[in-house]
Amino acid sequence: MSIEVRALTKVFGDVPAVERISFTVGAGELIALLGPSGSGKTTVLRMIAGLEFPTSGDVLIKDRRVNDVPVQRRNIGFVFQGYALFPSMTVTENIAFGLKVKKWSAAAIAARVAELLGVFGLGEFGDRYPHQLSGGQRQRVAIARALAPKPDVLLLDEPFAAVDAKIRQELREWLVRLHDELNLTTIFVTHDQEEAMEVAHRIVVFSRGRLEQMGTPREVYEEPVNETVARFIGVMNVLELLVRDGAARLHELSFPTHGVADGQTLRIGFRPYAVQVSAHPGEFRYPATLRHVFFLGVLLRLELVTPAGLIIRTRMTKEEFQRLGLVEDQPVSFNIREYRVLARDGAALGTEVAQAHQAPNFAEGI
């Protein structure tokens, strides 16, 4: 079941929450609406569900405009952030609730509830009440209840925000498996970039009520269209440089430019993985000191500081760190192998990928 929103706008009083948002979700896709709090992503989800009505623009489900169709007639399953389970009902009764409202027969309800209890691994919990369940179990009950009437679309608002990190990881993996089994068009809202990149086929990035970029996890991470996306998705080193003598320069750093006039400023961004470090000063072009090492498990995050005081962030595996024999406060050298010229309010101007060289005078770095 495909979904399309066209120039969707929502204004609360004099405050625009969403401004002319447009995107399409293909049948069977799993899409994440990603952004910080107040960016408009939940408002868009609620307009698709029919819980809010747009100030202007259209919502289409399977090419049918549904702006004026009430929520109960859109055949959408909605999962709220706080579960919204009925505390006085058992798991079985919670899952059956929507089916009773739709006047399914008792036999059909019993069969559907039994099916979902099995699918969601809740068979032994049918007679329990929500307060007797873990957070992960309550979330599975909420999703089972939303799916019970066999909706065309599943919408989830911050579905894993209320559980701890370990359960959240398990639920992410479980949601992917569930989606693969059901092949149900699914949209979920999250502010967690890792969650969006791990679960979704495509990500819609929101900021201040606007759609900044839509693309696959790889596209939004490796090809951010502007600085807002670059900073929000993952970690990005961002520097402002002045173009002089054919290169963008900041203290000891320089990046080749193509057709940019001297005197202009450019914003340069590069991911931590694009920074290559050597334990030997002078091996790579730029000198620095290894100031801090942060342990992240499999990876280590390193902070380098240049003689001019610029902080450069990079990452490497524990094995590479040990192989290089690095220690805090030692002098090192580094290169930048790949960077992007970032736009503040439009498409990125381009990507420059430097070929590997290990010479101190290599202008582009590695």
Side-chain angles (χ1 to χ4, degrees):
M1 182 70 69
S2 62
I3 300 172
E4 183 180 0
V5 298
R6 295 178 181 170
L8 208 59
T9 296
K10 180 66 178 181
V11 179
F12 293 104
D14 296 328
V15 180
V18 173
E19 300 182 67
R20 296 188 62 80
I21 298 292
S22 298
F23 63 87
T24 300
V25 182
E29 266 199 296
L30 177 57
I31 297 293
L33 307 186
L34 174 66
S37 298
S39 60
K41 56 192 186 297
T42 293
T43 300
V44 170
L45 194 77
R46 291 175 64 85
M47 285 191 284
I48 293 171
L51 299 171
E52 298 282 355
F53 293 97
T55 303
S56 62
D58 296 312
V59 177
L60 294 90
I61 298 177
K62 202 176 180 180
D63 299 323
R64 176 193 175 203
R65 184 178 181 273
V66 296
N67 288 39
D68 302 319
V69 177
V71 59
Q72 62 270 24
R73 292 176 51 201
R74 295 194 187 189
N75 198 28
I76 283 176
F78 196 100
V79 179
F80 296 91
Q81 180 174 341
Y83 312 131
L85 298 176
F86 300 110
S88 61
M89 293 184 182
T90 65
V91 168
T92 293
E93 291 168 339
N94 266 283
I95 295 173
F97 179 80
L99 305 181
K100 291 180 179 179
V101 171
K102 291 180 176 289
K103 301 188 184 303
W104 283 36
S105 70
I109 291 175
R112 180 61 172 163
V113 171
E115 176 189 1
L116 290 170
L117 288 173
V119 169
F120 285 74
L122 297 166
E124 62 185 288
F125 304 105
D127 294 330
R128 295 192 187 183
Y129 292 88
H131 73 274
Q132 298 174 308
L133 304 175
S134 69
Q137 290 165 346
R138 287 196 294 269
Q139 189 58 277
R140 282 187 281 159
V141 174
I143 296 175
R145 184 180 61 182
L147 291 175
K150 299 184 178 180
D152 295 321
V153 174
L154 178 63
L155 306 179
L156 305 101
D157 185 10
E158 298 275 8
F160 311 136
V163 296
D164 61 39
K166 182 176 185 300
I167 299 300
R168 189 159 57 245
Q169 180 62 45
E170 293 174 357
L171 285 171
R172 290 177 191 169
E173 297 169 0
W174 171 80
L175 179 62
V176 171
R177 292 195 301 270
L178 178 69
H179 179 269
D180 289 344
E181 291 174 9
L182 300 179
N183 195 34
L184 182 67
T185 304
T186 303
I187 305 175
F188 73 99
V189 161
T190 182
H191 65 274
D192 186 327
Q193 55 181 278
E194 181 179 314
E195 183 170 281
M197 295 183 69
E198 183 175 341
V199 173
H201 299 154
R202 289 190 296 158
I203 299 172
V204 186
V205 184
F206 285 80
S207 174
R208 300 182 300 277
R210 298 191 299 272
L211 191 160
E212 299 286 352
Q213 184 173 359
M214 183 172 188
T216 65
R218 181 181 293 275
E219 287 169 345
V220 297
Y221 184 82
E222 295 186 349
E223 302 172 16
V225 299
N226 56 33
E227 186 173 340
T228 296
V229 177
R231 286 186 178 276
F232 191 74
I233 305 293
V235 177
M236 175 76 82
N237 294 285
V238 178
L239 303 172
E240 184 164 306
L241 302 96
L242 179 68
V243 178
R244 188 177 71 253
D245 299 329
R249 304 177 187 275
L250 178 63
H251 302 302
E252 57 270 273
L253 301 185
S254 67
F255 300 82
T257 57
H258 305 285
V260 181
D262 282 6
Q264 294 192 38
T265 59
L266 291 179
R267 304 282 283 186
I268 299 292
F270 49 94
R271 298 289 187 191
Y273 69 76
V275 181
Q276 185 176 16
V277 179
S278 169
H280 304 292
E283 180 174 358
F284 293 145
R285 183 179 183 196
Y286 301 119
T289 299
L290 175 55
R291 188 171 70 170
H292 291 303
V293 179
F294 300 92
F295 179 75
L296 303 177
V298 176
L299 292 176
L300 302 177
R301 179 164 65 86
L302 282 59
E303 279 191 0
L304 313 179
V305 58
T306 71
L310 296 176
I311 296 174
I312 306 296
R313 295 173 177 85
T314 183
R315 291 190 180 190
M316 65 177 59
T317 64
K318 291 187 297 183
E319 291 75 16
E320 184 180 4
F321 184 83
Q322 293 168 353
R323 179 179 60 80
L324 292 174
L326 295 170
V327 295
E328 288 187 347
D329 298 322
Q330 80 173 83
V332 297
S333 60
F334 71 95
N335 279 329
I336 300 165
R337 63 178 181 177
E338 180 179 322
Y339 60 91
R340 294 185 69 80
V341 179
L342 300 173
R344 289 187 174 88
D345 55 3
L349 301 180
T351 300
E352 301 294 339
V353 181
Q355 186 177 354
H357 286 270
Q358 295 184 357
N361 62 352
F362 178 53
E364 293 183 346
I366 181 170

